[in-house]
Amino acid sequence: MDWLKYAGDDPVHKLLLMLIAIVLFVVLMAIILFVVDRPRNPPRWFVGFGFTGIALLLLLAGLVYPALSTIWTSFLRRNSGDFVGLDNYVRAFTEPQFLIVLGNTALWVLVAPLVATFLGLVYAYLVDRSRFEKIAKGLVFLPMAISMVGASIIWKFVYEFKPQGVEQTGVLNQFMVWLGGEPQQWLLSRPLNTFLIMVVFVWIQTGFAMTLLSASIKAIPTDITEAARLDGVSGFGMFWRITIPSIRPALIVVLTTIAMTTLKTFDIVRTMTAGQFDTSIVALEFYDQGFRQNDAGMAAALAVLLFVIVVPVVVYNVRQQRKVEEIR
Amino acid sequence: MRIQKFGSRRRGIALAAGIASTALVLGACADTDEGSGGDGGDAEAFEIDCAAYEEFGDLEGTTVTVYTTIVEPEAETQQASYEPFEECTGVTVEYEGSREMEAQLPVRVQAGNPPDIAILPQPGLLSTLVNEYDAVLPAPEQVEANVDEFWSEDWKEYGTVDGTFYAAPLGSNVKSFVWYSPSMFADAGYEIPETWDDLITLTETIAEGNEGATRPWCAGVESGDATGWPATDWIEDMVLRSAGPEVYDQWVSHDIPFDDPQIVEAFDMAGEILKNPDHVNGGLGGVDSIATASWTDAGYPILEGNCWMHRAANFYATQWPEGTEVGPEGDVYAFYLPAETTDEKPTLVAGEFIGAFTDRPEVEAFQTYLSSSDWANAKAAATPAGGWVSANNGMDPENLATDFDKLSAEILADEATVARFDGSDLMPSAVGTDSFWSGMTEWFASDRSTEQVTSDIEKSWP
Amino acid sequence: MTTTTPQMPTPQPVRPASSGLNERARKARKALSNPWASTLAIVIAIIWTVPTVGLLVTSFRPELDIRTSGWWTVFGDAFSGEGVFSLRNYETALFGSSTNMIDFFVNSFVVTLPAVFIPITIALLAAYGFAWIDFKGRDILFIAVFALQIVPIQITLVPLLSAYVDFNINGTFWTIWLSHSIFALPLAIFLLHNFMKDVPRSLVEAARVDGAGHVKIFFQVMLPLLTPAIAAFGIFQFLWVWNDLLVALVMGDLRTFPLTVRIAELAGSRGGDWHVLSAGAFISMVVPVIVFLALQRYFVRGMLAGAVKG
């Protein structure tokens, strides 16, 4: 048993363990599918559960249970069991520190996904079927391969400030100097700093949007574009009237996914400013309260607020999904 | 590769030559001033008295896990300092360092998966673990006896929560230092200031010659998600100097409000330097650049001649770029941040503490070792590049590697020294690691007044 | 992902798309023929590349140079023969610790492979279930799964780790694989479900008429069509797991720590050693970039491109 549990320091043992895990998993899957496929006329719930069962069980244990206990914790004071009702929420909506955080989060979730999706779309459209498509996509995808912390460090270098008269080390300020301007304290100038931090997020996520949207652009049936071309549609008109409507569902999926990521991402702000200079967002505040202040109640309340913020996104998606279904 | 040797002094049984070979594997190298072998000698191994650990029984083959914030490159000297204990007892110390340790330790504790021993970087974390998670075990009697023998009453108090002694101190930091360039001072004919007034006079003298981006002082408080802490040290040093240790204690324990006039006065004393655009921020920008300059780089303008002085702790010695010589005749050195008179020597200190979560014999034995003078000396010997010191009075300063570390040890041992522990580490975390930090960055970055900043921090006190 | 469902010429799912693609490619060099469009594309490409290049150059410079002059100055200096490059940062990153860098690579690999394969497989099945099996409560369940995307990983750490400790399996690779799989599921199901939905109903109906059950349809109709989608999501999941620090730190121990844990240490106890970190960042980027380049051809071809436009 121990051999299966712990691999110790032996790399070969580790790799073997990995193979065993994969094989075991495949066998498990095969058994499930075999059982599902066995009956002649199985009830639909049986087949449905066969396909979705493992996922649902894992999610129940791994995410639903912690989420429910978080909702409960949000009514408690710090780490004690004392029930304090809505106190944590009242704090979140009254203390100036948290109000800034909520405002910034709203800004983030409205702006960052739109910009990232838009840039990803435009870029995917522009390089589509061009000679340099592969390399062009590779360049924009590159930031995805860097961890969020790594990306934040890169951009901290970009925004770095040195006073006039000293050699600049930040590329942005060097440009300011070359253009005859004065170097700026980028991360101190509010509200610009929030947007400059968003740039890092957009820089990473555009590759994600581009990859998925490019795929759907390629899936637009040729007859549609051909017909439009015969009608004399070209350039911008083609993009606006043919491409965008054709990939609308994909656009919504990408926007939604990035919006969800936006709400959860905290390491960018943490690395760039640690949430100071009025740049904090709910996800970071949650992390701070939970892991630095050890205030489990407040952290839980902030996590619940994240759920709440996301409700409109969920509702919108469900409605879109319904619409698509009606067309089909 | 040089072979490690531990400066031999104290009692006891000689150790097997094993140490030398294991040290070789670890690649740590130590140079003591004991003369004889010079570099590369495989001479005396550092001897400790194994008898101290016999009462814990046969520990051969057991393992103790240590969780700490100390990562590369300091991790190597830390691990090397455990070797004499491992040799004596046959215990394997499993070392895990992570910069996320402070956030992750409570997670592990809550999940029922704590390490055996955690090196806590500040007493605030200790009291959180004790009060909120009821997790740390009281120190075993051998540890308490060691601390009573080798540490002052004050240091023992920092490891005590509500009257119970939990955590023995490990290393110590001395924070009241000003870094400067000896050659720049010599060329300009400046003396090391002895009193606060001397320091201000010197500052103004230098400021008259300001050219371009050059200023008397440089400072930076950016430090990732701990941004702001270097500024709290400034304020604490000022409170010690302007209001005195008694007021300092009252301030830290909240017997006087954070925005008490005496504290506001201390802020303004720091502001005389830090908020005056003629005095800061050499090579780094204006006053607001203090908020964004990384504390690790903030002293570098001294090397470029753009800055004359930089207040930072003893461990800043290890932050200088590779090749920088730290010494009285080197590229950089430090002097004691002067007080109002020369009779008093208020000094801001900080340190790490050892918290234990399990009480197996090997864990208690290791705790005992870490709280002993044996460990302090072994650690001193295992830290050839310096930048480390301890207030453990069983540590022989002669084992310390550099002149600068000896200076730190000298200050710690000085009769006139009135040491006070870093206040932000003792305040509740809502202040000490949150509003105090952010208040300081706002103090530099925006035009918020001292009164406003201090009263905001006062309001956040839980 | 089209709103219009095109007429299917044949219900032949797997069919090489290359001929059709080439033809289309020849027809349409549309976008980049416009100079404004080309300029825009180039500008975006440059903005997206310059910061990374900056870091790459930085990673080869000595510490003091990094703090005192901009990375772009090396190009001028290199011409005048004074550029200073060194491998010192890479040496420290690779050989600076008592643990061998290879061990971290192996761990990253061992952690990542199952953590990509397992959740994608589970998600594919679930996505198929939600998209094509009409069972009771399916819509509600799907919405719930979708909404679970927002659960921050941090709130799950203590409950999960407690459970692992109770079962005495903490600190093994198994818990890391399991955790990654759980965290990946909501997004994976959501995305793959959307791709599955776009498979023309006619294809599925045709297979059904031939007497195929769900399992057969899943393997013979869906999987081939979804290859590009799986490749795309596989890349993302690979990147997230490869770059993950949090799960690795909380669920793992000294023997399972991947590269990211080592890289995070490179900043030094007090966070000042960014120069080493820059080298570390590139060391850890090598594998993801290779994987991306290797798999790129699958999804450049386009989701469903083979079947829908055959």
Side-chain angles (χ1 to χ4, degrees):
Chain A
M1 256 328 264
D2 263 4
W3 191 91
L4 270 182
K5 252 162 69 178
Y6 303 103
D9 287 324
D10 178 12
V12 178
H13 190 168
K14 286 175 185 174
L15 292 168
L16 272 178
L17 215 53
M18 177 183 85
L19 286 180
I20 291 171
I22 291 177
V23 169
L24 273 181
F25 175 73
V26 169
V27 169
L28 176 72
M29 282 298 152
I31 293 174
I32 290 174
L33 289 180
F34 181 76
V35 171
V36 166
D37 212 26
R38 202 70 196 137
R40 284 229 141 249
N41 268 318
R44 274 192 298 210
W45 67 263
F46 179 74
V47 185
F49 187 75
F51 274 85
T52 58
I54 294 200
L56 292 176
L57 286 179
L58 284 179
L59 289 174
L60 204 61
L63 292 180
V64 176
Y65 164 70
L68 291 179
S69 86
T70 301
I71 294 176
W72 170 243
T73 311
S74 74
F75 299 116
L76 306 179
R77 192 177 56 82
R78 289 186 69 87
N79 301 305
S80 67
D82 308 345
F83 186 83
V84 292
L86 292 175
D87 270 14
N88 290 319
Y89 294 94
V90 172
R91 273 186 67 199
F93 282 107
T94 50
E95 288 183 14
Q97 170 199 358
F98 292 117
L99 288 176
I100 295 173
V101 167
L102 289 173
N104 283 340
T105 307
L107 210 58
W108 268 80
V109 77
L110 287 178
V111 176
L114 277 176
V115 176
T117 311
F118 175 77
L119 285 176
L121 171 66
V122 168
Y123 192 77
Y125 180 76
L126 288 179
V127 303
D128 187 40
R129 287 173 221 163
S130 74
R131 197 172 315 150
F132 309 107
E133 177 166 356
K134 267 196 175 181
I135 172 103
K137 280 184 169 172
L139 291 179
V140 169
F141 184 86
L142 199 62
M144 286 282 302
I146 309 170
S147 65
M148 294 243 181
V149 175
S152 311
I153 292 167
I154 290 183
W155 280 87
K156 240 178 149 172
F157 270 117
V158 172
Y159 294 145
E160 205 158 53
F161 166 85
K162 287 283 163 81
Q164 213 155 16
V166 175
E167 215 177 325
Q168 292 298 322
T169 51
V171 115
L172 192 58
N173 273 325
Q174 181 67 68
F175 268 105
M176 291 297 289
V177 172
W178 276 333
L179 294 175
E182 276 184 29
Q184 300 292 313
Q185 277 277 19
W186 299 110
L187 292 177
L188 280 188
S189 33
R190 34 204 129 180
L192 180 67
N193 51 8
T194 291
F195 292 97
L196 290 175
I197 298 172
M198 263 185 233
V199 166
V200 185
F201 181 80
V202 169
W203 186 70
I204 298 171
Q205 293 293 325
T206 299
F208 175 79
M210 175 204 69
T211 311
L212 291 182
L213 293 177
S214 157
S216 1
I217 290 177
K218 286 184 188 307
I220 301 173
T222 331
D223 33 348
I224 295 184
T225 43
E226 280 308 305
R229 190 162 291 127
L230 289 178
D231 287 348
V233 184
S234 67
F236 187 71
M238 183 73 104
F239 177 68
W240 195 245
R241 283 167 40 204
I242 306 298
T243 309
I244 292 196
S246 306
I247 61 164
R248 219 179 102 89
L251 272 177
I252 293 169
V253 168
V254 170
L255 261 178
T256 312
T257 311
I258 299 184
M260 297 273 200
T261 317
T262 309
L263 287 172
K264 281 201 286 189
T265 302
F266 71 98
D267 17 16
I268 295 181
V269 184
R270 184 168 176 237
T271 314
M272 296 291 283
T273 60
Q276 303 211 349
F277 323 122
D278 299 343
T279 57
S280 191
I281 54 176
V282 173
L284 177 65
E285 204 59 36
F286 156 76
Y287 184 88
D288 263 8
Q289 294 294 334
F291 294 90
R292 216 167 64 194
Q293 309 302 332
N294 289 298
D295 187 342
M298 191 66 215
L302 290 167
V304 173
L305 283 182
L306 282 182
F307 290 123
V308 175
I309 296 173
V310 101
V311 168
V313 182
V314 176
V315 171
Y316 178 75
N317 256 276
V318 171
R319 294 172 93 176
Q320 291 299 322
Q321 208 91 47
R322 291 263 155 80
K323 258 190 215 162
V324 174
E325 225 125 296
E326 279 158 25
I327 296 169
R328 286 170 68 101
Chain B
M1 187 188 303
R2 287 182 299 175
I3 291 171
Q4 175 169 12
K5 64 191 169 78
F6 296 97
S8 83
R9 44 191 298 276
R10 307 179 56 90
R11 49 204 161 147
I13 309 156
L15 262 189
I19 286 188
S21 55
T22 27
L24 186 77
V25 174
L26 261 167
C29 35
D31 218 0
T32 61
D33 54 334
E34 301 239 332
S36 58
D39 281 2
D42 58 348
E44 329 95 314
F46 189 83
E47 291 167 16
I48 67 169
D49 183 1
C50 291
Y53 309 103
E54 270 160 20
E55 57 173 306
F56 295 96
D58 182 14
L59 303 175
E60 190 71 42
T62 54
T63 301
V64 177
T65 58
V66 176
Y67 195 24
T68 161
T69 50
I70 302 169
V71 297
E72 306 291 341
E74 288 93 336
E76 284 188 28
T77 59
Q78 188 67 229
Q79 281 168 286
S81 71
Y82 302 159
E83 304 234 327
F85 173 77
E86 292 178 298
E87 285 296 324
C88 266
T89 56
V91 173
T92 309
V93 178
E94 219 164 69
Y95 184 93
E96 180 183 352
S98 165
R99 286 155 45 79
E100 300 288 324
M101 179 267 205
E102 284 178 76
Q104 294 311 325
L105 184 59
V107 172
R108 292 194 186 181
V109 166
Q110 288 178 76
N113 186 33
D116 293 326
I117 281 179
I119 300 181
L120 309 169
Q122 41 135 324
L125 185 58
L126 172 68
S127 63
T128 301
L129 289 168
V130 171
N131 290 329
E132 312 239 355
Y133 302 108
D134 198 15
V136 188
L137 300 174
E141 50 187 287
Q142 297 92 332
V143 172
E144 191 160 0
N146 269 345
V147 173
D148 286 336
E149 183 181 351
F150 298 117
W151 294 81
S152 70
E153 201 50 37
D154 286 340
W155 278 95
K156 188 182 177 188
E157 185 59 34
Y158 306 137
T160 304
V161 180
D162 300 332
T164 310
F165 176 63
Y166 290 94
L170 194 67
S172 319
N173 305 318
V174 185
K175 298 201 160 191
S176 308
F177 276 121
V178 177
W179 290 87
Y180 71 106
S181 157
S183 59
M184 269 168 84
F185 267 53
D187 291 348
Y190 297 144
E191 296 283 323
I192 303 298
E194 298 267 322
T195 65
W196 181 257
D197 288 337
D198 286 354
L199 185 70
I200 294 298
T201 314
L202 175 65
T203 302
E204 278 161 1
T205 316
I206 296 174
E208 279 163 24
N210 279 347
E211 264 175 46
T214 306
R215 296 287 181 279
W217 289 85
C218 44
V221 303
E222 194 276 340
S223 178
D225 72 341
T227 293
W229 71 261
T232 65
D233 287 358
W234 257 102
I235 299 301
E236 287 151 11
D237 254 336
M238 294 306 116
V239 174
L240 281 176
R241 279 159 183 73
S242 71
E246 285 75 31
V247 176
Y248 182 90
D249 294 341
Q250 293 165 355
W251 174 57
V252 171
S253 57
H254 209 220
D255 291 335
I256 58 169
F258 197 99
D259 54 353
D260 187 274
Q262 299 175 89
I263 306 304
V264 173
E265 194 194 324
F267 267 74
D268 289 336
M269 191 168 161
E272 224 179 318
I273 290 171
L274 294 178
K275 296 270 273 183
N276 185 338
D278 290 332
H279 295 171
V280 289
N281 192 5
L284 297 169
V287 170
D288 62 357
S289 69
I290 296 176
T292 52
S294 147
W295 81 272
T296 54
D297 303 1
Y300 291 9
I302 293 179
L303 302 172
E304 299 151 26
N306 281 327
C307 165
W308 290 78
M309 290 176 281
H310 176 61
R311 187 213 154 281
N314 66 317
F315 49 74
Y316 199 80
T318 58
Q319 294 296 332
W320 295 103
E322 208 166 45
T324 312
E325 199 192 322
V326 177
E329 263 92 52
D331 301 319
V332 288
Y333 203 55
F335 58 81
Y336 167 75
L337 178 70
E340 310 236 292
T341 67
T342 47
D343 305 335
E344 46 185 338
K345 256 194 169 177
T347 302
L348 193 66
V349 298
E352 308 101 34
F353 297 83
I354 319 154
F357 300 88
T358 53
D359 54 5
R360 300 194 311 276
E362 60 270 26
V363 177
E364 295 197 339
F366 187 52
Q367 255 181 299
T368 309
Y369 171 65
L370 288 180
S371 59
S372 69
S373 58
D374 287 345
W375 178 79
N377 284 306
K379 170 68 177 151
T383 314
W388 181 87
V389 72
S390 172
N392 184 317
N393 61 33
M395 182 193 66
D396 183 352
E398 288 306 306
N399 284 337
L400 291 170
T402 64
D403 287 343
F404 175 68
D405 289 345
K406 286 173 191 159
L407 173 66
S408 302
E410 202 180 291
I411 291 178
L412 282 173
D414 192 334
E415 297 269 304
T417 298
V418 179
R420 281 296 180 274
F421 203 87
D422 187 333
S424 61
D425 286 352
L426 299 170
M427 293 174 184
S429 60
V431 177
T433 63
D434 193 356
S435 64
F436 197 176
W437 289 354
S438 54
M440 291 314 297
T441 47
E442 287 299 336
W443 195 53
F444 299 120
S446 65
D447 41 18
R448 233 169 274 183
S449 71
T450 306
E451 283 76 13
Q452 226 173 332
V453 166
T454 48
S455 81
D456 279 353
I457 301 175
E458 169 60 26
K459 273 183 216 137
S460 74
W461 201 293
Chain C
M1 277 177 213
T2 54
T3 43
T4 47
T5 309
Q7 285 301 101
M8 292 310 303
T10 58
Q12 189 72 38
V14 252
R15 188 160 152 217
S18 55
S19 62
L21 261 186
N22 285 345
E23 188 192 328
R24 266 164 52 224
R26 241 180 294 119
K27 259 190 221 157
R29 290 245 182 258
K30 35 135 206 152
L32 283 187
S33 53
N34 180 331
W36 287 107
S38 332
T39 315
L40 183 57
I42 292 170
V43 167
I44 295 181
I46 289 177
I47 298 179
W48 255 250
T49 316
V50 165
T52 318
V53 171
L55 190 74
L56 182 63
V57 174
T58 300
S59 69
F60 287 103
R61 305 181 70 205
E63 183 183 359
L64 197 56
D65 286 12
I66 297 174
R67 319 286 172 150
T68 50
S69 63
W71 53 266
W72 53 90
T73 56
V74 298
F75 299 117
D77 290 351
F79 275 120
S80 56
E82 41 182 300
V84 192
F85 287 102
S86 86
L87 288 172
R88 176 108 193 122
N89 297 337
Y90 284 87
E91 264 172 47
T92 317
L94 284 171
F95 310 112
S97 85
S98 42
T99 317
N100 195 335
M101 199 73 167
I102 298 290
D103 288 343
F104 290 104
F105 258 108
V106 169
N107 288 346
S108 272
F109 185 72
V110 170
V111 163
T112 307
L113 214 61
V116 171
F117 177 75
I118 294 174
I120 290 186
T121 310
I122 298 178
L124 275 170
L125 285 176
Y128 178 83
F130 285 125
W132 292 102
I133 303 173
D134 193 14
F135 60 96
K136 215 170 173 217
R138 140 182 111 152
D139 288 349
I140 292 291
L141 281 176
F142 180 67
I143 291 169
V145 170
F146 167 71
L148 282 177
Q149 278 185 67
I150 197 54
V151 176
I153 290 183
Q154 288 86 357
I155 67 165
T156 68
L157 298 180
V158 174
L160 276 184
L161 189 57
S162 309
Y164 297 153
V165 173
D166 290 345
F167 287 109
N168 195 20
I169 51 169
N170 57 305
T172 65
F173 281 111
W174 298 92
T175 59
I176 301 174
W177 295 325
L178 186 60
S179 310
H180 275 303
S181 299
I182 292 173
F183 300 144
L185 279 179
L187 180 61
I189 295 176
F190 174 66
L191 284 182
L192 292 174
H193 170 267
N194 282 289
F195 293 125
M196 293 247 185
K197 276 253 151 192
D198 286 337
V199 171
R201 188 166 281 273
S202 51
L203 282 180
V204 180
E205 294 301 337
R208 212 167 269 162
V209 170
D210 289 346
H214 280 298
V215 174
K216 204 164 177 193
I217 294 175
F218 176 77
F219 279 108
Q220 294 189 344
V221 181
M222 290 297 162
L223 280 193
L225 285 179
L226 282 174
T227 313
I230 296 170
F233 186 77
I235 288 265
F236 294 134
Q237 175 66 11
F238 181 91
L239 291 174
W240 290 320
V241 176
W242 187 268
N243 285 329
D244 158 81
L245 177 64
L246 192 60
V247 176
L249 272 179
V250 177
M251 305 299 174
D253 81 354
L254 285 173
R255 281 161 212 87
T256 67
F257 282 154
L259 215 47
T260 43
V261 173
R262 166 76 188 134
I263 305 282
E265 278 179 29
L266 291 178
S269 303
R270 301 192 174 87
D273 300 338
W274 296 121
H275 52 288
V276 190
L277 202 62
S278 62
F282 277 95
I283 294 170
S284 82
M285 264 172 74
V286 170
V287 174
V289 168
I290 291 174
V291 171
F292 173 75
L293 294 177
L295 290 186
Q296 197 186 21
R297 68 194 176 94
Y298 285 103
F299 53 87
V300 161
R301 194 203 299 160
M303 229 63 76
L304 310 183
V308 180
K309 267 146 286 125

